[in-house]
């Protein structure tokens, strides 16, 4: 799934693309998605930079190559949106109205009188309007019905009877988000746009798609999106195909995904989360069209729906648009309850295997080992959720966090897995461990996790670590910076974590009082975190240790089993049945290859020229030069937060050193400075700023062969603490230590592990990067620092050249500062 993104200071903007995603709890995602994690979602996508007052020896020697982007903080309060609120209109009855100061929104909860459908309507000044339709869709098996339906409903509907209105809509839409998500217990259909007419078009197409899809009466759509037998000639081998079937075969070929699936099933053996809503490719072929139809009829009904509106559009128009669809239905009971998983009375151990490639010695495939807890039988209350969010951050939130550091520096594995706290489902979980583990050391990983938790329970956390966590999390909550992800969608997913389980949808949006009360407990000296560790982890018997071991024969074995099964199926077919499979294959291919007629395509709503503003929105920009430095300033409302960027010219760097740039950037903040060790520096960044990062940036410039290439220093801070962030930038750039060889080795191993996982889970992105490398110098540079070439380089770094190339990283600064 691609999402819109605009990087300040760059000339490239990436627009949203159509797609879908199977959504897992935060540590169980099997597709890359930039989604928030519950109330304390990681939304650190802010920009950073440097004002004119900053100077260093590095800047002065190479100042002509630096660019600076700043956004001034404007400390004015957003005014409440003034709209007439109707308590009974278009068949909807107002149930509750409340001003939510955290997000400057008037929040209205409506109920559709005829069907019982619930609607949350948020009124504010955000021009990025968001709509979402959400259905609770628990499963009883792993046939993948919700996932297949998520695809299929977007393949034509009653009002838009063409093959792919979803794709056609994209061609003339100004959307900022257009996608769909399958969770383990719900399916979401969100859209967003800053253009009002475009927004109405998107909402109309989506409502018609989910409530009146053609797929429920069209077996060919089910075959295309779900699964089908494929045979072109009676002499050929019969195969299975299908969009979701093929997608999930790719997912299940990833060891990371297999591990996540095993963990989820082990923690939830007795409820819907124990099955795979995305679909197990071994089970998907058991799904019938009749089951597919029944699932839609059972769950895709307004009585089982929750609708979401957000933004600056007229409140009554929202309800009028929705009522046109809901009024065609009658209320009926829908049993979509997500039942709780009872807690285990004793810890368990689960050992499974994954299909591993060949390798020997250091390259031999390794094990995944994780320790996992189901924290409670019910969703935890807001203040406990806040406390757990802080505890999660303290233990795992930074590379200097004690539990994460203990695992990383243990030498038992290559990189962290698990993700810590996940609170998006009915019951929260906590998971962590290592991958790249020697199977003989599996027990050592579990022992290390438990012993470190015991230490943290008894010894607690330093005052500076707690201060850093408080500042970082409160900063994120108050900033609400979701990057390119629409704020309205972020809030919808946050509210849905409570609303979908028939709890208060307002509560996740109102955290100020709970946060202040929690801070008061910390200030009083109360031991907040020790009891949480004891109750929810150490004394909690619902603990499952998962060992996922490599099996180099498993892939071949499973392939042979599938071939034998298909051969046996073909052998049983009489000639007429065989010809029917061939005929169905040909018909489906013909249908796929035959475009919709222009007359049919005319049903797709498009924008008129009059719907589009004649002038583009402008960003206030001031450009000036100071001491050879280009200063770019944007005076915008940012709720008293200053965003800063500084760009150090990377072009003097020799090509053979390019692959070391990502590691160099990590080293700047993960080895300490001359005055502070790694932990002290990390805590200082957390206490004084909302985030600080270093990363390489490259971009092609039109009409120019040579790319734009910079080392970007990005940070964000409340305006009053801007001098603190400038001091941090200076100290890191001028006095960073690069002499921790063990830390460097661990970073290389983590990078290798991450890249290998990315190749398996995102091969299309790797291929696109290789193609881009042939089109421009900028593409070639990017591929050397993040593509397949980078993976090969990192592998060599691990096995052959680590001692030698470590010293190469020490010479990089001279090229950036010369």
């Amino acid at each position: 799934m691609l999402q819109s993104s605009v990087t300040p200071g760059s000339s490239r903007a990436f627009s949203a693309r159509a797609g879908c995603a199977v959504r897992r709890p935060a540590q169980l995602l099997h597709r890359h998605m930039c989604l928030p994690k519950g109330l304390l979602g990681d939304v650190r996508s802010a920009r950073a930079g440097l004002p004119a007052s900053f100077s260093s020896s590095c800047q002065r020697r190479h100042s002509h190559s630096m660019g600076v982007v700043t956004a001034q903080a404007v400390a004015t309060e957003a005014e409440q949106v003034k709209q007439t609120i109707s308590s009974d209109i278009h068949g909807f009855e107002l149930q509750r109205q409340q001003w939510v100061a955290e997000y400057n929104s008037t929040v209205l909860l409506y109920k559709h009188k005829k069907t019982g459908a619930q609607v949350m309507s948020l009124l504010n000044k955000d021009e990025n309007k968001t709509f979402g339709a959400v259905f609770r869709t628990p499963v009883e098996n792993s046939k993948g019905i919700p996932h297949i339906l998520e695809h299929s409903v977007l393949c034509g509907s009653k009002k838009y009877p063409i093959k792919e209105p979803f794709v056609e809509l994209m061609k003339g839409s100004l959307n900022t988000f257009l996608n769909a998500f399958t969770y383990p217990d719900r399916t979401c259909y969100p859209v967003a746009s800053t253009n009002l007419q475009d927004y109405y078009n998107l909402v109309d197409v989506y409502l018609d798609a989910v409530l009146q899809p053609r797929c429920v009466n069209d077996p060919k759509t089910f075959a295309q999106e779900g699964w089908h037998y494929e045979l072109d000639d009676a002499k050929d081998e019969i195969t299975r195909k299908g969009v979701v079937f093929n997608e999930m075969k790719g997912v299940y070929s990833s060891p990371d995904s297999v591990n996540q699936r095993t963990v989820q099933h082990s923690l939830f053996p007795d409820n819907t989360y124990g099955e795979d809503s995305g679909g197990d490719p071994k089970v998907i072929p058991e799904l019938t069209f009749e089951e597919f139809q029944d699932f839609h009829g059972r769950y895709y009904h307004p009585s089982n729906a929750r609708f979401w509106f957000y933004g600056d559009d007229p409140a009554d128009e929202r309800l009028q648009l929705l009522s046109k669809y809901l009024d065609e239905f009658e209320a009926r009971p829908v049993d979509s309850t997500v039942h709780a998983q009872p807690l285990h009375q004793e810890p368990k151990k689960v050992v499974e295997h994954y299909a591993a490639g060949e390798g020997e010695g250091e390259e031999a495939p390794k094990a995944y080992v994780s320790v996992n807890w189901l924290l409670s039988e019910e969703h935890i209350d807001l203040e406990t959720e806040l406390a757990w969010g802080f505890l999660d951050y303290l233990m795992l939130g930074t590379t200097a966090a004690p539990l994460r550091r203990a695992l990383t520096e243990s030498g038992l594995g290559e990189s962290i897995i698990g993700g810590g706290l996940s609170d998006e489902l009915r019951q929260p979980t906590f998971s962590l461990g290592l991958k790249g583990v020697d199977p003989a050391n599996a027990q050592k990983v579990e022992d290390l996790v438990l012993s470190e938790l015991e230490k943290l329970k008894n010894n607690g956390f330093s005052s500076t670590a707690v201060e850093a966590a408080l500042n970082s999390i409160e900063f994120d909550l108050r900033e609400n910076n979701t990057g390119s992800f629409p704020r309205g969608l972020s809030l919808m997913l946050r509210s849905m974590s409570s609303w979908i389980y028939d709890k208060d949808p307002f509560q996740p949006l109102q955290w100020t009082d709970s946060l202040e009360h929690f801070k008061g407990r910390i200030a009083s000296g109360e031991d907040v975190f020790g009891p949480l560790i004891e109750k929810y982890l150490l004394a909690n018997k619902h603990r499952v240790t998962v060992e996922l071991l490599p099996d180099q024969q498993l892939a071949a074995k499973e392939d042979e089993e599938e071939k034998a099964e298909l051969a046996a199926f073909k052998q049983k077919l009489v000639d007429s049945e065989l010809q029917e499979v061939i005929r169905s294959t040909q018909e489906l291919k013909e249908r796929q290859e035959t475009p919709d007629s222009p007359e049919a395509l005319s049903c797709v709503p498009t924008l008129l020229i009059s719907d589009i503003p004649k002038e583009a929105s402008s960003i206030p920009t001031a450009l000036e030069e100071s001491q050879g430095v280009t200063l770019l300033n944007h005076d915008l409302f940012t709720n008293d937060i200053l965003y800063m960027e500084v760009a150090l010219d990377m072009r003097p760097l020799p090509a053979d050193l390019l692959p070391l740039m990502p590691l160099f950037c990590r080293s700047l903040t993960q080895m300490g400075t001359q005055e502070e060790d790694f932990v002290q520096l990390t805590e200082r960044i957390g206490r004084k700023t909302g985030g600080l990062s270093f990363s390489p940036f490259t971009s092609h410039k039109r009409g120019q062969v040579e790319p734009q290439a910079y080392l970007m220093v990005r940070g964000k801070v409340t305006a009053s603490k801007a001098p603190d962030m400038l001091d941090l930038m200076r100290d890191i750039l001028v006095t960073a230590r690069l002499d921790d060889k063990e830390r460097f080795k661990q970073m290389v191993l983590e990078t290798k592990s991450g890249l290998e996982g990315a190749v398996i889970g995102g091969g299309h992105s790797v291929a696109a990067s290789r193609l881009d490398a042939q089109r421009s110098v900028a593409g070639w540079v990017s591929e050397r620092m993040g593509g397949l070439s980078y993976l090969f380089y990192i592998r060599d770094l691990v096995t052959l050249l680590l001692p030698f190339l470590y010293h190469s990283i020490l010479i990089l600064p001279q090229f950036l500062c010369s």
Side-chain angles (χ1 to χ4, degrees):
M1 179 184 70
L2 302 179
Q3 298 178 62
S4 59
S5 176
V6 178
T7 303
S10 85
S11 59
R12 301 188 297 177
F14 303 90
S15 61
R17 293 289 190 201
C20 81
V22 178
R23 181 79 171 128
R24 293 286 183 267
Q27 79 271 27
L28 301 178
L29 286 171
H30 64 56
R31 295 190 66 180
H32 54 285
M33 297 179 64
C34 302
L35 298 181
K37 188 175 84 170
L39 176 66
L40 300 173
D42 187 2
V43 291
R44 302 186 176 207
S45 54
R47 294 88 178 146
L50 202 63
S53 59
F54 179 86
S55 67
S56 71
S57 58
C58 180
Q59 176 192 352
R60 288 193 296 271
R61 290 199 299 270
H62 207 65
S63 59
H64 65 278
S65 66
M66 289 184 61
V68 179
V69 180
T70 67
Q72 295 294 330
V74 181
T76 60
E77 292 187 5
E79 295 181 1
Q80 184 171 346
V81 175
K82 294 180 174 58
Q83 287 198 43
T84 301
I85 306 298
S86 301
S87 60
D88 192 335
I89 188 172
H90 302 308
F92 291 91
E93 183 179 26
L94 182 63
Q95 303 281 300
R96 184 175 170 188
Q97 175 179 341
Q98 198 161 343
W99 168 251
V100 176
E102 286 85 345
Y103 303 108
N104 291 321
S105 298
T106 297
V107 183
L108 311 170
L109 176 62
Y110 284 96
K111 183 177 181 179
H112 187 241
K113 290 185 285 187
K114 189 176 180 184
T115 65
Q118 301 176 58
V119 183
M120 283 279 278
S121 182
L122 280 72
L123 311 178
N124 51 53
K125 290 190 174 183
D126 193 343
E127 67 171 353
N128 198 7
K129 294 163 276 289
T130 304
F131 165 79
V134 182
F135 301 90
R136 197 159 60 191
T137 52
V139 295
E140 299 172 353
N141 53 56
S142 296
K143 297 179 183 180
I145 310 180
H147 190 188
I148 297 171
L149 261 175
E150 178 214 304
H151 283 248
S152 301
V153 298
L154 301 172
C155 293
S157 61
K158 179 179 179 181
K159 189 175 179 180
Y160 304 103
I162 58 175
K163 291 194 300 181
E164 294 183 306
F166 192 74
V167 174
E168 296 301 327
L169 190 64
M170 288 291 300
K171 297 177 181 179
S173 171
L174 298 174
N175 73 83
T176 55
F177 195 90
L178 182 63
N179 218 301
F181 312 140
T182 297
Y183 279 75
D185 57 10
R186 57 192 180 270
T187 310
C188 307
Y189 297 89
V191 296
S193 180
T194 58
N195 182 283
L196 183 60
Q197 186 56 52
D198 185 46
Y199 177 63
Y200 287 154
N201 292 346
L202 294 169
V203 173
D204 193 61
V205 171
Y206 260 47
L207 283 172
D208 202 59
V210 297
L211 295 174
Q212 302 180 128
R214 292 199 305 170
C215 66
V216 294
N217 297 308
D218 182 10
K220 284 188 170 56
T221 297
F222 169 74
Q224 172 184 281
E225 301 300 323
W227 77 278
H228 63 275
Y229 290 111
E230 187 160 298
L231 185 66
D232 293 312
D233 189 279
K235 298 178 181 179
D236 296 338
E237 292 184 353
I238 196 168
T239 59
R240 292 191 187 102
K241 296 287 179 67
V243 175
V244 169
F245 177 77
N246 291 343
E247 177 187 332
M248 297 310 295
K249 288 198 77 170
V251 167
Y252 273 65
S253 71
S254 164
D256 288 339
S257 297
V258 173
N259 180 67
Q260 294 158 1
R261 176 77 201 101
T262 304
V263 168
Q264 184 172 340
H265 177 75
S266 301
L267 284 174
F268 299 97
D270 305 314
N271 75 349
T272 186
Y273 302 144
E275 305 295 341
D276 191 343
S277 63
D280 182 337
K282 292 181 179 179
V283 184
I284 289 174
E286 297 176 9
L287 179 64
T288 66
F289 181 62
E290 290 71 27
E291 289 177 288
F292 174 79
Q293 288 178 305
D294 178 70
F295 195 91
H296 181 274
R298 201 182 339 155
Y299 294 129
Y300 277 61
H301 188 278
S303 298
N304 187 47
R306 289 152 179 82
F307 297 98
W308 175 275
F309 291 95
Y310 166 99
D312 63 357
D313 54 303
D316 289 353
E317 291 294 324
R318 300 171 171 179
L319 302 180
Q320 184 177 19
L321 179 58
L322 186 56
S323 68
K324 289 190 298 183
Y325 285 93
L326 301 191
D327 287 348
E328 297 184 18
F329 293 83
E330 299 290 339
R332 66 173 174 81
V334 179
D335 183 8
S336 60
T337 304
V338 178
H339 298 286
Q341 165 66 49
L343 295 182
H344 295 163
Q345 298 305 307
E346 293 295 335
K348 296 183 179 181
K349 178 172 289 186
V350 173
V351 179
E352 294 288 350
H353 296 81
Y354 72 92
E358 297 181 359
E360 297 179 355
E362 288 296 320
E363 290 301 308
K366 304 285 181 65
Y368 288 66
V369 182
S370 61
V371 189
N372 314 274
W373 286 266
L374 182 61
L375 299 184
S376 71
E377 287 201 14
E378 293 295 336
H379 204 82
I380 54 180
D381 61 82
L382 184 58
E383 187 163 334
T384 302
E385 185 181 351
L386 273 170
W388 248 110
F390 282 105
L391 177 60
D392 185 54
Y393 184 92
L394 283 164
M395 293 193 297
L396 297 169
T398 70
T399 51
L403 187 53
R404 178 172 176 174
R405 191 178 179 192
L407 285 166
T408 300
E409 296 180 355
S410 68
L412 294 173
E414 294 179 355
S415 62
I416 297 284
I417 58 173
L421 174 69
S422 176
D423 55 7
E424 293 178 300
L425 302 181
R426 173 171 177 173
Q427 295 166 269
T429 62
F430 186 80
S431 176
L432 78 158
L434 289 167
K435 67 177 178 177
V437 178
D438 185 328
N441 291 330
Q443 185 60 46
K444 293 181 181 179
V445 175
E446 179 182 1
D447 293 342
L448 177 61
V449 169
L450 296 177
S451 64
E452 288 299 318
L453 287 172
E454 189 71 37
K455 289 179 185 177
L456 292 173
K457 183 197 77 169
N458 295 330
N459 302 332
F461 303 90
S462 69
S463 59
T464 52
V466 173
E467 181 186 351
L470 285 170
N471 179 72
S472 296
I473 292 179
E474 183 172 4
F475 189 102
D476 282 347
L477 285 170
R478 297 194 183 282
E479 180 193 27
N480 191 32
N481 184 350
T482 57
S484 61
F485 202 73
R487 279 192 174 93
L489 178 51
S490 173
L491 295 184
M492 183 190 89
L493 298 178
R494 184 175 296 175
S495 177
M496 207 62 63
S497 66
S498 177
W499 193 16
I500 200 72
Y501 307 114
D502 301 317
K503 298 184 183 298
D504 184 2
F506 289 73
Q507 187 184 57
L509 309 179
Q510 298 174 297
W511 41 261
T512 300
D513 291 343
S514 294
L515 177 61
E516 291 306 314
H517 184 256
F518 176 78
K519 288 165 63 178
R521 293 172 63 193
I522 295 292
S524 71
E526 178 186 348
D527 180 8
V528 175
F529 304 115
L532 286 178
I533 295 174
E534 174 64 25
K535 176 181 178 181
Y536 290 100
L537 298 177
L538 293 175
N540 183 359
K541 300 302 182 182
H542 196 113
R543 183 180 82 235
V544 181
T545 300
V546 173
E547 296 179 14
L548 189 68
L549 306 179
D551 185 337
Q552 293 174 307
Q553 283 74 49
L554 184 59
K557 178 184 176 183
E558 290 180 340
D559 285 345
E560 287 302 317
E561 288 176 350
E562 183 180 17
K563 288 180 180 179
E565 180 189 346
L566 288 169
F569 170 76
K570 183 183 177 185
Q571 188 70 28
K572 292 179 181 178
L573 298 178
V574 298
D575 186 64
S576 60
E577 292 172 326
L578 204 61
Q579 293 302 316
E580 176 62 23
V581 175
I582 294 173
R583 185 187 64 78
S584 296
T585 299
Q586 293 172 342
E587 287 182 354
L588 184 57
K589 287 184 176 181
E590 182 178 349
R591 170 173 164 162
Q592 291 169 335
E593 294 167 359
T594 303
D596 289 305
S597 67
E599 292 77 16
L601 291 174
S602 65
C603 70
V604 179
T606 57
L607 294 175
L608 303 174
I609 293 179
S610 58
D611 295 325
I612 303 172
K614 294 182 179 180
E615 296 183 5
S617 300
S618 61
I619 298 175
T621 302
L623 185 67
E624 61 179 285
E625 299 286 332
S626 177
Q627 300 179 14
V629 179
T630 301
L631 302 174
L632 187 61
N633 181 74
H634 302 298
D635 193 354
L636 298 166
F637 172 74
T638 59
N639 204 24
D640 201 37
I641 294 174
L642 187 71
Y643 299 93
M644 309 166 88
E645 287 187 350
V646 58
L648 300 172
D649 197 346
M650 209 172 73
R651 288 174 297 178
L653 191 68
D656 63 318
L657 294 181
L658 280 172
L660 285 172
M661 271 303 297
L663 290 168
F664 172 72
C665 290
R666 287 188 64 181
S667 299
L668 287 173
T669 57
Q670 294 189 26
M671 292 189 186
T673 65
Q674 293 176 6
E675 300 297 328
E676 296 171 297
D677 64 24
F678 165 42
V679 175
Q680 291 171 327
L681 177 62
T682 302
E683 290 178 353
R684 182 181 165 200
I685 292 172
R687 296 196 319 271
K688 301 298 184 181
T689 76
L692 193 62
S693 67
F694 297 76
S695 61
F697 168 80
T698 58
S699 175
H700 175 69
K701 187 174 183 179
R702 185 178 299 174
Q704 180 176 304
V705 175
E706 187 179 47
Q708 300 296 301
Y710 298 100
L711 189 164
M712 302 300 299
V713 185
R714 295 185 172 99
K716 54 184 178 179
V717 68
T718 54
S720 62
K721 291 185 178 180
D724 295 313
M725 185 167 73
L726 299 180
D727 289 342
L728 268 164
M729 289 181 173
R730 180 196 60 225
D731 292 347
I732 292 171
L733 288 171
V734 178
T735 71
R737 293 172 53 196
L738 301 172
D739 57 357
D740 190 337
K741 295 182 180 180
E742 286 302 313
R743 181 70 189 137
F744 180 73
K745 179 180 179 181
Q746 187 59 43
M747 286 192 292
V748 173
L749 292 174
E750 290 174 356
T751 300
K752 172 179 172 289
S753 178
L755 289 170
E756 289 173 342
V759 169
I760 296 173
H764 60 291
S765 298
V766 175
S769 175
R770 294 288 275 188
L771 291 172
D772 197 32
Q774 301 176 40
R775 297 178 60 249
S776 68
V777 177
W780 180 84
V781 171
S782 295
E783 208 274 337
R784 291 283 292 167
M785 295 189 295
L788 201 59
S789 297
Y790 185 48
L791 172 57
F792 294 153
Y793 183 93
I794 291 295
R795 282 178 170 173
D796 288 341
L797 198 60
V798 171
T799 58
L800 302 173
L801 306 173
L802 188 55
F804 170 74
L805 285 175
Y806 166 72
H807 296 288
S808 299
I809 205 168
L810 301 177
I811 66 174
L812 260 67
Q814 67 178 284
F815 296 104
L816 300 172
C817 302
S818 60

